[in-house]
């Protein structure tokens, strides 16, 4: 971890879910304020409501501010927003959805204005956040609309990084949404983020098949032969160390995933089910954008909201990941700033070599 102290925003998510519980438990760890300056966006009343339910978690003395540019080092800062008339743990309500969106938009405003280095989002309910002016199927799609770049959902942990070709779409639409061009673009994007955001010099990427048994030579589907394999070959010839397509069950059950720095899955559950089994405290990272956004890899968990049963480790890891990615991205920007073209570098080396030759008398 760099010695840089980053301002990390944390959006409350759905105030009727476990968002506030995992935020409070994570921020009660004094090490968090040593690593970063947290700025929470959410309802003070909701925070107090959930704090009262936590038996073994030290109370947090929030420092209220108007915007992240006022954040104080060493304190847990709070931008009051996303208020809700009545907190009802475990209930999916339109009011809670509205509060989640308001807190998210307030945090994104500060992120756009450069007052934050990264943003961590607690989960919201995808149905209750829908409104006339918010029609996104998830945080990933919303951030893709708000920031420059093409968003890629990556689930990451110390042992595994999984990117997705398709994200929040119905299963019936998956096959039609997978194209050679999309896979090639995603392989380049995954390679780029593994280098820039995870510090891997030249990543090896495993590509999953769409059909069982990787299509069994066309018996169970031809997408592998006609779309996925040609995309892998095209990307490989362009410099991406991509391999496959592999049957997902065999790659994960046999431990073959450990030989690769990243996995490209064709659809949501194909990648997330094995990831969450192998890395239950993983992090969701929206790669490919000008801004950094991470989140816990779980949902609102309405069934345990308000019961002091939520595990905050994934939220802690999301905060740590935001700091790490900010550090690596800053280093990458410094390394790649105004690089000399290869021809100019080679000319400079030749000129130096000529100058160093002993001169004849």
């Amino acid at each position: 971890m760099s010695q840089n102290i980053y301002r990390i925003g944390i959006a409350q998510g759905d105030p009727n879910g476990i968002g506030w519980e995992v935020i409070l438990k994570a921020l009660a760890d004094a090490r968090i304020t040593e690593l970063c300056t947290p700025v929470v966006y959410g309802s003070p009343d909701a925070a107090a409501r959930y704090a009262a339910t936590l038996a073994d978690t030290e109370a947090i003395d929030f420092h209220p501010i108007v915007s992240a540019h006022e954040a104080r080092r060493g304190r847990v800062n709070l931008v009051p927003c996303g208020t809700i008339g009545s907190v009802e743990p475990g209930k999916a309500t339109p009011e809670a959805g509205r509060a989640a969106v308001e807190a998210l938009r307030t945090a994104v405003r500060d992120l756009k204005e450069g007052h934050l280095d990264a943003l961590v989002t607690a989960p919201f309910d995808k149905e209750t956040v829908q409104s006339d002016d918010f029609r996104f199927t998830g945080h990933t799609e919303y951030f893709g609309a708000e920031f420059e770049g093409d968003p890629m959902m990556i689930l990451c942990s110390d042992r595994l990084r999984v990117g997705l070709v398709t994200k929040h779409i119905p299963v019936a639409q998956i096959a039609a949404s997978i194209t050679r061009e999309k896979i090639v673009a995603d392989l380049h994007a995954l390679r780029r983020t593994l280098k820039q955001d995870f510090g891997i010099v030249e990543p090896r990427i495993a590509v999953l098949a769409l059909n069982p048994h990787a299509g069994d030579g066309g018996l169970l589907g031809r997408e592998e032969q006609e779309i996925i394999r040609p995309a892998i070959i095209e990307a490989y010839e362009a410099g991406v160390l991509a391999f496959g397509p592999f049957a997902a069950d065999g790659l994960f059950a046999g431990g073959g995933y450990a030989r690769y720095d990243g996995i490209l899955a064709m659809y949501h559950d194909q990648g997330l089910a094995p990831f969450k089994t192998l890395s239950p405290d993983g992090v969701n990272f929206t790669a490919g954008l000008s801004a950094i956004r991470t989140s816990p890899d779980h949902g609102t968990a309405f069934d345990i909201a308000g019961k002091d049963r939520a595990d905050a480790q994934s939220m802690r890891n999301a905060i740590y990941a935001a700091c790490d990615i900010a550090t690596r991205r800053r280093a990458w920007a410094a390394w790649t700033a105004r690089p000399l073209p290869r021809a100019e570098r080679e000319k400079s080396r030749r000129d130096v070599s000529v100058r160093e030759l002993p001169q004849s008398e």
Side-chain angles (χ1 to χ4, degrees), residues 139-220:
H139 282 99
T140 304
E141 292 77 10
Y142 171 68
F143 275 81
E146 292 291 320
F147 293 94
E148 180 182 352
D150 189 13
M152 170 178 277
M153 180 187 290
I154 294 182
L155 278 293
C156 53
S157 69
D158 290 341
R159 66 188 303 186
L160 189 59
R161 303 168 197 89
V162 177
L164 304 179
V165 175
T166 63
K167 297 180 280 293
H168 298 122
I169 65 172
V171 172
Q173 298 176 12
I174 291 172
S177 301
I178 294 173
T179 66
R180 174 172 174 170
E181 294 76 17
K182 181 75 167 66
I183 294 172
V184 171
D186 284 343
L187 282 169
H188 281 285
L190 183 54
R191 174 180 183 253
R192 185 164 53 250
T193 194
L194 290 172
K195 291 164 69 73
Q196 169 185 279
D197 299 322
F198 293 92
I200 300 169
V201 175
E202 191 53 72
R204 291 168 51 88
I205 300 171
V207 182
L208 298 185
L210 173 65
N211 298 296
H213 305 171
D216 261 349
L219 181 64
L220 302 179

Side-chain angles (χ1 to χ4, degrees), residues 18-58:
I18 62 170
W20 266 114
E21 182 176 335
V22 296
I23 290 170
L24 292 169
K25 287 179 175 179
L27 296 180
D29 187 337
R31 293 173 295 180
I32 296 292
T33 53
E34 295 175 1
L35 294 172
C36 67
T37 299
V39 182
V40 185
Y41 294 80
S43 165
D45 292 338
R49 169 73 171 78
Y50 283 98
T53 69
L54 305 182
D56 300 317
T57 302
E58 186 176 346

Side-chain angles (χ1 to χ4, degrees), residues 2-8 30-39 61 63 65 68-77 117:
S2 166
Q3 293 183 350
N4 293 315
I5 300 298
Y6 297 104
R7 287 181 178 175
I8 304 298
R31 293 173 295 180
I32 296 292
T33 53
E34 295 175 1
L35 294 172
C36 67
T37 299
V39 182
D61 180 20
H63 172 58
I65 56 177
H69 78 276
E70 300 176 350
R72 290 181 58 180
R73 171 87 176 272
R75 298 292 300 276
V76 178
N77 303 274
D117 295 292

Side-chain angles (χ1 to χ4, degrees), residues 300-316:
T300 53
F302 286 133
D303 59 321
I304 61 170
K307 299 178 181 179
D308 194 11
R309 289 169 52 191
D311 186 340
Q313 190 56 51
S314 187
M315 172 59 79
R316 292 189 194 95

